[in-house]
C-alpha cells in the first residue's frame, strides 16, 4: 500500500508530521508492506533566497508584526518539536527558495533515499541554519546520504528533475491541497496537517485493512504446482 506525502522543506509542521507518521509506522505490524512516496509542494514559489535574513525576521517584515508576536507564532511548532526531539532555530533558519532542494529529493528518490533526503534537509534548514538553496550545501547533504557527486552536480547545471517537481505541484492543485503536510493513504483517505500519532495509526489501520481486502485473491481450486523454491507437489 502506498502513502503519498506532499511537503515543503520550509514547513515546520511537515517536519513534525513526518516524525509522527514514522512513529505510527514503527508500531504498525504491516509497516514493512507500505511504500512512502514524497511529493513536492512550495509554500511560496516566489520567495527569493536571502542569507542575510532569518525566518523570524522575515515574518516580522512581511507580516507587519512585532518580533514578540513572531516569536509567539513560532512557539507552537517549537514546543511540538521538543516532544519529538526536534530542534527549531527560527532565528538561524535562512530564508531560501526550496525548489532546488525538491529536485535533490527527486534524485534521492531514484536511489530509494527520499526519506533520508527529507530528514537531512529539514534538519539543515530548521536546526543548523543551512541555506537549502546553496549548491555546496546541497552537494554536502546529498553526499552524506550516499548520492554520487556527479548526479548531484547535474542538478546545478541542467533542468533535470524540474519537470517532476512541477508535476507534483500540479497534482497538488488537482487534489485541491491548500496546505502541507498532506498525507494520502491508499489513494483514498487523506490527513491534513501534523496530526498526532494516534490519528496516523487509525488511518493506517483503516486504509490497510481495505487495501488487504481489495488485493486478496480467493483460490477456488488448487492442483499440482511448483513453488519459487523449486518444490513441486
Amino acid at each position: 500500500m502506498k502513502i503519498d506525502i506532499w511537503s515543503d522543506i520550509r514547513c515546520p509542521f511537515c517536519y513534525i508530521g513526518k516524525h509522527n507518521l514514522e512513529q505510527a509506522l514503527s508500531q504498525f505490524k504491516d509497516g514493512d508492506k507500505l511504500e512512502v512516496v514524497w511529493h513536492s509542494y512550495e509554500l511560496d514559489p516566489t520567495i527569493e533566497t536571502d542569507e542575510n535574513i532569518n525566518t523570524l525576521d522575515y515574518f516580522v517584515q512581511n507580516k507587519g508584526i512585532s518580533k514578540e508576536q513572531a516569536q509567539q507564532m513560532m512557539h507552537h511548532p517549537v514546543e511540538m518539536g521538543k516532544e519529538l526531539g526536534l530542534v527549531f532555530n527560527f532565528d538561524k533558519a535562512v530564508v531560501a527558495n526550496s525548489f532546488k532542494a525538491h529536485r535533490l529529493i527527486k534524485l534521492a528518490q531514484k536511489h530509494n533515499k527520499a526519506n533520508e533526503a527529507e530528514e537531512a534537509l529539514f534538519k539543515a534548514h530548521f536546526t543548523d541554519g543551512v541555506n537549502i538553496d546553496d549548491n555546496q550545501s546541497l552537494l554536502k547533504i546529498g553526499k552524506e546520504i550516499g548520492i554520487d557527486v556527479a548526479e548531484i552536480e547535474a542538478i546545478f547545471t541542467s533542468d533535470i528533475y524540474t519537470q517532476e517537481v512541477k508535476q507534483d505541484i500540479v497534482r497538488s492543485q488537482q487534489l485541491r491541497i491548500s496546505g502541507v503536510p498532506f498525507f494520502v493513504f491508499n489513494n483514498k483517505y487523506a490527513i491534513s496537517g501534523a496530526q498526532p500519532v494516534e490519528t496516523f495509526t487509525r488511518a493506517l489501520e483503516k486504509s490497510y485493512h481495505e487495501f488487504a481486502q481489495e488485493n486478496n485473491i480467493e483460490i477456488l481450486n488448487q492442483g499440482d504446482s511448483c513453488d519459487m523454491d523449486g518444490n513441486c507437489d
Side-chain angles (χ1 to χ4, degrees):
M1 188 187 84
K2 189 167 66 168
I3 303 172
D4 295 283
I5 309 173
W6 274 263
S7 168
D8 190 4
I9 300 302
R10 296 180 55 245
C11 166
F13 293 110
C14 291
Y15 196 9
I16 293 167
K18 175 181 183 293
H19 277 257
N20 283 345
L21 173 64
E22 286 174 344
Q23 188 171 332
L25 286 171
S26 70
Q27 301 167 0
F28 190 64
K29 64 181 180 66
D30 292 304
D32 59 335
K33 300 174 184 177
L34 306 179
E35 176 189 10
V36 175
V37 180
W38 289 91
H39 298 279
S40 305
Y41 187 96
E42 287 188 283
L43 291 172
D44 183 1
T46 66
I47 196 168
E48 296 183 3
T49 300
D50 186 348
E51 289 189 328
N52 297 313
I53 185 171
N54 61 51
T55 299
L56 190 62
D57 291 335
Y58 178 81
F59 263 82
V60 171
Q61 292 182 15
N62 287 269
K63 299 291 185 180
I65 58 178
S66 68
K67 193 162 189 173
E68 291 71 23
Q69 289 174 312
Q71 289 172 330
Q72 187 60 38
M73 288 175 61
M74 304 297 182
H75 180 74
H76 183 46
V78 167
E79 291 304 308
M80 291 179 70
K82 284 181 180 178
E83 295 180 6
L84 298 167
L86 306 179
V87 179
F88 289 97
N89 293 318
F90 290 107
D91 57 343
K92 288 175 58 177
V94 174
V95 172
N97 189 289
S98 60
F99 192 87
K100 198 183 297 180
H102 282 298
R103 293 171 63 204
L104 176 62
I105 295 168
K106 288 299 179 187
L107 169 60
Q109 193 169 27
K110 170 188 170 184
H111 296 284
N112 296 316
K113 293 178 177 290
N115 200 65
E116 290 90 333
E118 290 278 352
E119 186 69 23
L121 286 163
F122 278 131
K123 183 178 182 296
H125 178 59
F126 287 114
T127 305
D128 302 330
V130 172
N131 179 0
I132 58 169
D133 191 32
D134 175 69
N135 289 357
Q136 289 306 309
S137 296
L138 292 176
L139 184 65
K140 182 174 182 291
I141 290 170
K143 285 173 61 179
E144 287 176 348
I145 63 173
I147 300 178
D148 182 72
V149 170
E151 288 190 272
I152 303 169
E153 290 178 334
I155 293 174
F156 314 141
T157 58
S158 71
D159 63 353
I160 189 171
Y161 300 114
T162 294
Q163 192 58 36
E164 288 85 343
V165 172
K166 290 182 177 179
Q167 287 173 347
D168 277 353
I169 294 170
V170 169
R171 181 57 180 155
S172 74
Q173 294 168 344
Q174 293 171 339
L175 293 173
R176 298 183 180 179
I177 297 174
S178 58
V180 287
F182 195 87
F183 307 82
V184 178
F185 297 80
N186 195 27
N187 289 316
K188 187 172 182 180
Y189 299 107
I191 287 179
S192 179
Q195 299 291 339
V197 174
E198 295 75 16
T199 301
F200 285 114
T201 298
R202 288 195 297 270
L204 285 170
E205 291 173 348
K206 182 177 179 60
S207 56
Y208 189 78
H209 176 71
E210 293 186 8
F211 170 80
Q213 287 186 322
E214 291 166 0
N215 290 274
N216 182 45
I217 299 175
E218 181 181 358
I219 300 176
L220 299 178
N221 293 286
Q222 186 166 345
D224 297 335
S225 63
C226 296
D227 61 25
M228 294 179 66
D229 296 322
N231 301 312
C232 297
D233 53 28

